[in-house]
Amino acid sequence: MSPPRLFDRQLLSRRLDRAAPHFAQAQFLRERSIEDLLHSLGAINRRFDVALEIGARDGGFARALAASPDAGKIGLLIEADLSPCFLAQAQGPARLIMDEEQLPFGDDSLDLVVSTLALHAANDLPGVLVQIRRALKPDGLFVASLFGGETLKELRGCLMEAELEVRGGYGPRIAPFAEAPDLIDLLKRTGFSMPVVDSDRVDVSYDHPLKLMADLRMMGESNILIDRPRKGLSRAILQRMSELYFERFADDEGRITATFEIITLSGWRPHESQQKPLRPGSAKMRLADALGVKEGKL
């Protein structure tokens, strides 16, 4: 059975093209994620000759890498994105218009795959991860960040309640996001070794909910759900949503908070040189002896 299609990928491409000219005004979350990704790479003592970046957008990762002490760790960086308008802003020597749901790379062809805040819009994330694992050489590394389940929880609730009050019903306005425990299981199921998943909650302050929605538009993160309502948000719904947002999530200065959960995940293509967990019962020393304590019953 083919996986369900949640997202309109053609619409995503158009939304990204629309966001490209103004992206610099709203890429603070991506810049934070790029910094975290470079920190992760900095802790790894090896060189990656051929690397692919999925969702390169305007080339921010390549620029940050070039300015970092670890610039020499990556040889060729292939910057790939679904949006031609975004790729036109990137300046790297190897750029590729690409849909991450259909990777055009052969098996064992890449040393590193990175992605920053792009994979949450994939219809078949397990399938994408399998393709990435196959494209990596043995002992190749995958590192990515994507939005997690807590993202935009305030806006989601207020929009739902406002639309219910005004129209008597509501449709999906904000996409569901993955949970961290599910992602570590997913890395294991798709064949990655030594999987690591970390979650970072970022609270962003705004003077009005409509400013938040404007930022989402400039990020290219507006609604691309296939089952999205075809009827737009009316002025009455937006006004009621804003009232609810201020009532529930405003601080002492009258500013509202928006939550973004950024999940960073990594995994390796298996290789015989990698460390493996010991078999149960194969330990040569009791834990109590190793800790120098007296063993007792619970």
Side-chain angles (χ1 to χ4, degrees), residues 214-233:
D215 265 7
L216 294 175
R217 183 184 175 96
M218 287 189 289
M219 292 177 191
E221 295 292 345
S222 50
N223 193 357
I224 58 165
L225 288 167
I226 289 177
D227 292 334
R228 66 193 180 278
R230 294 313 191 257
K231 194 171 184 180
L233 294 169

Side-chain angles (χ1 to χ4, degrees), residues 116-138:
T116 306
L117 299 182
L119 293 178
H120 54 272
N123 281 304
D124 182 15
L125 184 56
V128 172
L129 293 182
V130 168
Q131 291 183 68
I132 291 172
R133 193 252 303 157
R134 289 176 176 171
L136 285 170
K137 297 176 183 178

Side-chain angles (χ1 to χ4, degrees), residues 7-279:
F7 304 108
D8 185 335
R9 301 285 297 178
Q10 292 183 340
L11 178 60
L12 173 60
S13 179
R14 296 196 298 271
R15 294 280 172 84
L16 290 174
D17 284 345
R18 182 184 68 184
H22 310 289
F23 187 66
Q25 302 174 43
Q27 63 169 331
F28 52 92
L29 293 172
R30 179 172 164 81
E31 289 173 348
R32 181 185 181 119
S33 296
I34 288 173
E35 183 179 348
D36 290 344
L37 195 151
L38 288 174
H39 179 75
S40 298
L41 291 177
I44 300 171
N45 187 24
R46 62 171 290 183
R47 175 180 166 84
F48 302 95
D49 291 330
V50 182
L52 167 69
E53 182 186 8
I54 296 175
R57 302 298 186 254
D58 64 345
F61 173 76
R63 291 192 296 272
L65 174 67
S68 76
D70 298 304
K73 286 189 174 182
I74 295 180
L76 173 67
L77 176 64
I78 303 168
E79 297 175 279
D81 202 279
L82 187 62
S83 165
C85 293
F86 262 124
L87 271 187
Q89 299 179 26
Q91 299 175 353
R95 288 172 286 169
L96 176 66
I97 298 174
M98 183 194 80
D99 187 337
E100 56 265 29
E101 294 190 339
Q102 299 176 343
L103 296 188
F105 296 92
D107 293 353
D108 308 332
S109 57
L110 302 170
D111 299 288
L112 172 69
V113 175
V114 300
S115 180
T116 306
L117 299 182
L119 293 178
H120 54 272
N123 281 304
D124 182 15
L125 184 56
V128 172
L129 293 182
V130 168
Q131 291 183 68
I132 291 172
R133 193 252 303 157
R134 289 176 176 171
L136 285 170
K137 297 176 183 178
D139 205 30
L141 175 64
F142 167 61
V143 187
S145 63
L146 65 166
F147 288 122
E150 292 290 296
T151 299
L152 298 175
K153 61 181 182 179
E154 302 91 351
L155 180 62
R156 186 193 308 272
C158 293
L159 268 177
M160 183 184 301
E161 188 167 333
E163 193 167 11
L164 272 171
E165 288 185 18
V166 175
R167 286 185 177 155
Y170 70 92
R173 301 284 180 181
I174 298 175
F177 298 105
E179 301 289 345
D182 297 331
L183 287 172
I184 197 163
D185 289 340
L186 185 57
L187 286 171
K188 293 176 181 177
R189 286 195 291 111
T190 51
F192 286 93
S193 65
M194 298 182 286
V196 176
V197 172
D198 184 43
S199 177
D200 180 23
R201 172 174 165 154
V202 183
D203 293 327
V204 183
S205 176
Y206 287 93
D207 59 9
H208 199 280
L210 295 184
K211 293 289 184 65
L212 164 62
M213 297 179 73
D215 265 7
L216 294 175
R217 183 184 175 96
M218 287 189 289
M219 292 177 191
E221 295 292 345
S222 50
N223 193 357
I224 58 165
L225 288 167
I226 289 177
D227 292 334
R228 66 193 180 278
R230 294 313 191 257
K231 194 171 184 180
L233 294 169
S234 66
R235 181 174 297 182
I237 293 174
L238 290 174
Q239 181 176 342
R240 182 55 182 151
M241 178 275 295
S242 299
E243 292 171 354
L244 292 170
Y245 213 130
F246 278 114
E247 289 172 8
R248 297 172 182 176
F249 303 109
D251 60 20
D252 294 338
E253 298 178 356
R255 297 178 62 86
I256 56 99
T257 297
T259 297
F260 293 89
E261 182 185 10
I262 299 176
I263 298 177
T264 302
L265 57 156
S266 65
W268 295 81
R269 170 85 182 265
H271 187 262
E272 60 184 11
S273 66
Q274 295 169 356
Q275 292 182 346
K276 297 178 178 60
L278 294 174
R279 291 182 295 104

